[in-house]
Amino acid sequence: DTGVSQDPRHKITKRGQNVTFRCDPISEHNRLYWYRQTLGQGPEFLTYFQNEAQLEKSRLLSDRFSAERPKGSFSTLEIQRTEQGDSAMYLCASSLGGGAEAFFGQGTRLTVV
Amino acid sequence: AQSVTQPDIHITVSEGASLELRCNYSYGATPYLFWYVQSPGQGLQLLLKYFSGDTLVQGIKGFEAEFKRSQSSFNLRKPSVHWSDAAEYFCAVGHPSGTYKYIFGTGTRLKVLA
């Protein structure tokens, strides 16, 4: 296994468009997390899944943001009607249950123009 | 409120010099503690972690960190810095019952002079 994989690595989109990012966790990891990182800041927690269940989503930034993990494997993060303020690095991480460290992917850098 | 403070935004050291990056946290209980490193445009790589036990933990790339409960600190150290250590370093805390959500500090950017 090569670690957490995110696709695409970079995305440039026009304001108002919808975007979707994909994350493939480490195969045996049942927990998957999404974070957002803006310039000069540390990552900010958005949501997490245990298997296919989304257990915490209160930190999703608005109702324009949604995440899924339909079969408990890969996950997608969708942003509808993008705004310039959505420009950031979106990081995915996975872990083997609670009490274990999270391994991060390389991130998807979103630029909204 | 739960928070992580990294008081140094930028640090510059000469290659071969020692390094200490500071991290203080505010948390209701003793959390799990982590240091991650991020190179430009890249994701985060775990350097080391503290869950319990020995308060001096060893990590990869020659880094170590010491947990001090009385000071709510988890400072990162390296005795001799290499040019390849130039990156951004993040301290993070997680809940001791299950690290479903990490709280990160704002990071310290390390510059290494040749």
Side-chain angles (χ1 to χ4, degrees), chain A residues 50-91:
Chain A
Q50 179 156 313
N51 300 313
E52 66 274 12
Q54 190 173 14
L55 299 185
E56 167 86 32
K57 60 178 181 180
S58 60
R59 299 292 179 150
L60 284 172
L61 301 164
S62 78
D63 58 6
R64 297 184 297 105
F65 287 71
S66 62
E68 293 183 341
R69 194 183 184 196
K71 298 182 179 179
S73 57
F74 74 91
S75 175
T76 57
L77 178 69
E78 182 182 17
I79 308 173
Q80 296 183 328
R81 305 181 303 281
T82 52
E83 302 173 355
Q84 286 190 319
D86 298 331
S87 296
M89 174 82 90
Y90 291 85
L91 294 163

Side-chain angles (χ1 to χ4, degrees), chain A residues 33 35 37 48 99-100 102 105-106, chain B residues 36 38 42-43 51 99-100 102:
Chain A
Y33 316 82
Y35 286 80
Q37 185 179 22
Y48 94 106
Q106 302 276 37
Chain B
Y36 283 87
Q38 186 177 38
Q42 301 298 310
F51 287 174
T99 55
Y100 80 92
Y102 288 15

Side-chain angles (χ1 to χ4, degrees), chain A residues 9 31 33 35 37 40-43 45 48 56 59 89 91 98-102 104-106, chain B residues 32 34 36 38 41-44 46 49 51 88 90 97-102 104-107:
Chain A
R9 293 289 311 277
R31 291 200 175 192
Y33 316 82
Y35 286 80
Q37 185 179 22
Q41 298 297 315
F45 172 80
Y48 94 106
E56 167 86 32
R59 299 292 179 150
M89 174 82 90
L91 294 163
E101 67 265 31
F104 282 80
Q106 302 276 37
Chain B
Y32 290 164
F34 308 86
Y36 283 87
Q38 186 177 38
Q42 301 298 310
L44 301 170
L46 180 68
K49 62 185 183 288
F51 287 174
E88 189 146 25
F90 292 95
S97 67
T99 55
Y100 80 92
K101 178 176 72 175
Y102 288 15
F104 283 84
T106 52

Side-chain angles (χ1 to χ4, degrees), chain A residues 102-113:
Chain A
F103 293 83
F104 282 80
Q106 302 276 37
T108 293
R109 179 164 296 283
L110 172 67
T111 302
V112 181
V113 297

